[in-house]
Amino acid sequence: MAATFRRRLRRGAASTAVAALVLAALTASQSPAGAKNTTAKGQEPTPADTPIDGGAAYYTDLPPLNSPVPPRGSNDPRPDGDDIVTGPAQAGIPATVLAAYKKAESEIRATDPGCRLPWQLLAGIGKVESGQARGGAVDAEGTTLQPILGPQLNGHGFARITDTDRGLYDGDRTHDRAVGPMQFIPSTWSQGGPAGAGWGADGNGDGKKDPNNVFDAALAAGTYLCAGGRDLSVQQDLDSAVLGYNHSEEYLRTVLSWFAFYRTGSYEVPDGKGVLPARRHDAHGTGDHASGRTEGRTGHGRSTGDTTGNRPHPGKTQPNGPAKPGGSGDGHTGGHTPGGDHTPGTPETPGTPENPGTPEKPGGKPTPTPKPPTQPATPTALQQVGDRDLTTTAGTDFTTKPQVRAEDAAGKPVAGVAIRFTLPETTDARFPAGATTATVTTGKDGLATAPTLHAGDKTGDFTLRVTAVGRTVPAVDLKATVKARPAPKADLLTRTSDKELTATAGHAFAEDAVEIKATYQGKIAAGVPITATMITDDPDHPVQNDKGPYFKDPQATGDNKDKPVRTLTGLTTDADGLLKLPKIYTDTHPGTFLLRLTTPNGTTLTLKLKVAAPPKTP
């Protein structure tokens, strides 16, 4: 670990609370069982197991234990990070980078509210991966002024990933390198994701997906963190998401420590003025992402790094240098009060106030004894509520969002219950970002509403299963239906030629003799189903004719291939609204016959087919 866990704490209740919050993030978060570091030397992971950053080097500096503002309670209505504050230089986030994180949070909140992505988590990852885009070295559009590249992923200390982008993103045609402020490897950016189309995103609306742009990279990172229906307010989902970036317990602890730090407060600094971290998790001493220079330089607003390649280890006390504005000898902000080391988890007792309190006035009312906190209600059932008609057409959104209410044994609503909506494998309907699950926490009214559900091309019924995460509550099955798209309409059918349709009995009409055009409200009507029927000339009750011109079934074989067919289905207009009928044959009957073309919405066109008698033989 790049920084020691034993720090000197400022005396006082506020700083003690901040320290406790940061240390809790370090000690309480655990990765999913069986998680392994896939970056071991010589190991070549499968694409599915490859971390987002390829297991590349990352910064291990931990945040200072004194924060810009005291931690807020969960009931504080002020948005995190919106206060104008000052404090440790590490709390400053470059303006454009901060805007990118908040914009990504806002967009994902609209498309995947159940994820509960906080922008401070993106800031924590951005700090560890690239030092907030190298201290905010970006242009006005959010694109880095110089490429930020990780080490070559050649299997020596990191994952082995041979070139996947022909150097398009990383300039390396032999092996991949992590790219940009959020350090995506090229294959993940352009080929990853549930649909294989890549995690890349267009976060600034310029029509491009550029991993070197902080808006694009932040939105892509947020989408990845929320994938698979994760609810980032659930610790297990949060740990799993962060470990997907880099399968390392140290990485997890480092990111979560910055996450906790930024949640206690942050402030905006000009682009290019952000504090640059010093220490990297890099056993080979590889240099700066951007230029390859050796780490451990000193400069404005940053600490002196370890140029020997040796990093401090967890549990070993490192000597603290004198506190300096903007940094200290251990990579942490100054401001710790001298007076001895302090063990995490046992914060110092605040000093006794000089005025312990004002005595009661004679005759005053005694202070009431506070009531013990109310135990949270236990959910015992989930009930479907709202509109139960979960029906839509293929390729469209369900207008009704699935919704359930968590109730206790008395039928009262229960808040704070994580509800998971899970789609079956039999449907191609999806939640936002192609997710097959979505997790939403119930509100005060006990309601949990799933994100908008989009129907795919598969039609029919399916069952959406709803469960309470980590609770022994019976699941609820919600029935949903996807209907077939309505057939395209045509309000006019016309023939493209006015040439008379004639043939001799016993012979066929000319090839492609009948071509029609379908339109709807004056526009081309593509994909319109048409039925062609040879009918009798009864003006009141025309029926299928049993003599005269006919078609042949193109699918028939053997003795049936020449069998007359006088009603032909399965015909459809092309992209130009045109349809050429198959070849028309005649039997031995001369005369004038009728061919009627009909659309599903009732539009018709009737054509005359004249069959001449064969010439008499002398």
Side-chain angles (χ1 to χ4, degrees):
M1 181 66 70
T4 179
F5 285 98
R6 303 186 65 190
R7 298 293 177 200
R8 303 173 187 268
L9 300 182
R10 181 190 301 273
R11 296 181 183 272
S15 61
T16 300
V18 176
L21 178 61
V22 175
L23 292 171
L26 294 173
T27 58
S29 302
Q30 299 297 328
S31 70
K36 297 181 179 180
N37 189 332
T38 61
T39 63
K41 185 175 181 179
Q43 184 176 357
E44 184 171 3
T46 62
D49 293 334
T50 304
I52 287 292
D53 66 0
Y58 54 86
Y59 291 104
T60 61
D61 289 18
L62 291 177
L65 295 182
N66 56 319
S67 64
V69 292
R72 302 178 190 158
S74 59
N75 295 324
D76 192 327
R78 297 172 297 169
D80 285 337
D82 286 349
D83 302 299
I84 300 175
V85 297
T86 59
Q90 288 90 337
I93 301 177
T96 301
V97 178
L98 179 60
Y101 295 151
K102 291 187 175 182
K103 187 174 188 295
E105 178 198 53
S106 177
E107 291 193 22
I108 292 175
R109 184 190 300 122
T111 59
D112 189 3
C115 176
R116 304 179 187 279
L117 171 72
W119 67 260
Q120 293 92 341
L121 179 59
L122 295 175
I125 292 175
K127 180 71 172 181
V128 175
E129 291 288 349
S130 69
Q132 309 298 18
R134 302 300 298 151
V138 297
D139 61 20
E141 302 301 321
T143 302
T144 57
L145 300 180
Q146 293 182 351
I148 301 177
L149 301 176
Q152 189 181 69
L153 300 176
N154 54 16
H156 299 301
F158 312 110
R160 182 178 184 273
I161 305 176
T162 55
D163 178 56
T164 62
D165 66 333
R166 297 184 179 180
L168 175 64
Y169 294 117
D170 56 12
D172 192 325
R173 289 177 173 266
T174 59
H175 293 83
D176 274 351
R177 297 170 180 260
V179 180
M182 303 303 278
Q183 290 289 278
F184 277 84
I185 55 176
S187 58
T188 304
W189 183 265
S190 59
Q191 302 168 24
W199 290 107
D202 178 13
N204 60 353
D206 63 356
K208 297 183 294 183
K209 299 178 181 180
D210 183 2
N212 296 298
N213 182 277
V214 70
F215 288 95
D216 294 358
L219 181 58
T223 302
Y224 165 77
L225 293 169
C226 291
R230 293 189 184 109
D231 178 357
L232 298 181
S233 67
V234 176
Q235 190 66 50
Q236 183 176 357
D237 284 359
L238 175 62
D239 291 353
S240 175
V242 175
L243 286 167
Y245 242 95
N246 193 304
H247 295 176
S248 162
E249 290 289 344
E250 180 184 36
Y251 180 86
L252 174 67
R253 290 192 295 268
T254 306
V255 167
L256 293 185
S257 68
W258 282 106
F259 172 41
F261 176 71
Y262 287 133
R263 284 181 68 89
T264 65
S266 64
Y267 59 95
E268 180 182 299
V269 298
D271 290 343
K273 299 297 184 180
V275 173
L276 300 181
R279 295 185 176 88
R280 292 265 302 282
H281 179 281
D282 184 351
H284 295 272
T286 52
D288 186 288
H289 283 300
S291 64
R293 294 171 294 180
T294 303
E295 288 292 351
R297 301 175 304 281
T298 59
H300 174 71
R302 59 191 290 181
S303 308
T304 303
D306 183 357
T307 59
T308 66
N310 297 321
R311 296 177 288 105
H313 299 280
K316 293 184 179 181
T317 304
Q318 299 294 319
N320 290 326
K324 297 179 181 179
S328 64
D330 61 0
H332 286 61
T333 299
H336 304 304
T337 302
D341 291 334
H342 186 74
T343 303
T346 56
E348 297 177 13
T349 304
T352 303
E354 295 179 3
N355 299 316
T358 303
E360 292 183 4
K361 296 181 180 180
K365 295 182 179 180
T367 303
T369 303
K371 296 181 180 180
T374 304
Q375 293 297 322
T378 301
T380 59
L382 300 178
Q383 301 291 343
Q384 183 179 5
V385 295
D387 191 345
R388 295 173 179 261
D389 183 20
L390 299 178
T391 302
T392 194
T393 302
T396 64
D397 290 340
F398 283 82
T399 55
T400 300
K401 294 182 179 181
Q403 187 180 57
V404 298
R405 181 174 58 241
E407 299 178 350
D408 61 13
K412 296 181 179 180
V414 180
V417 181
I419 303 297
R420 179 156 292 172
F421 298 83
T422 304
L423 292 164
E425 295 180 355
T426 55
T427 182
D428 58 356
R430 292 292 183 267
F431 291 113
T436 57
T437 62
T439 303
V440 181
T441 303
T442 58
K444 293 181 179 179
D445 53 5
L447 295 179
T449 304
T452 300
L453 186 59
H454 182 80
D457 294 327
K458 290 184 179 180
T459 59
D461 299 332
F462 66 89
T463 300
L464 177 65
R465 171 146 287 204
V466 186
T467 56
V469 180
R471 311 284 186 129
T472 55
V473 179
V476 172
D477 290 334
L478 309 184
K479 301 297 182 182
T481 302
V482 178
K483 297 181 178 179
R485 295 182 178 91
K489 296 180 179 180
D491 56 14
L492 180 64
L493 298 177
T494 57
R495 190 172 167 228
T496 59
S497 172
D498 57 1
K499 185 177 180 180
E500 190 175 44
L501 298 171
T502 61
T504 301
H507 296 79
F509 285 81
E511 293 279 356
D512 301 330
V514 180
E515 182 183 60
I516 62 171
K517 181 178 181 179
T519 58
Y520 183 71
Q521 297 181 352
K523 297 181 180 180
I524 291 173
V528 178
I530 293 179
T531 299
T533 306
M534 302 295 179
I535 61 173
T536 62
D537 59 358
D538 185 339
D540 296 325
H541 301 287
V543 295
Q544 179 180 295
N545 212 331
D546 59 357
K547 60 183 178 180
Y550 63 90
F551 301 103
K552 291 182 180 180
D553 186 354
Q555 305 298 325
T557 59
D559 295 339
N560 293 325
K561 66 180 181 178
D562 293 325
K563 184 178 179 179
V565 175
R566 291 189 169 89
T567 296
L568 197 61
T569 59
L571 305 173
T572 306
T573 59
D574 62 16
D576 297 320
L578 300 176
L579 170 65
K580 291 183 179 180
L581 294 185
K583 191 173 184 179
I584 301 174
Y585 301 87
T586 66
D587 57 13
T588 59
H589 297 85
T592 299
F593 300 89
L594 300 179
L595 168 63
R596 175 164 290 178
L597 305 170
T598 309
T599 68
N601 63 304
T603 301
T604 62
L605 172 66
T606 302
L607 304 176
K608 290 184 178 181
L609 304 177
K610 294 184 178 180
V611 180
K616 295 181 179 180
T617 57

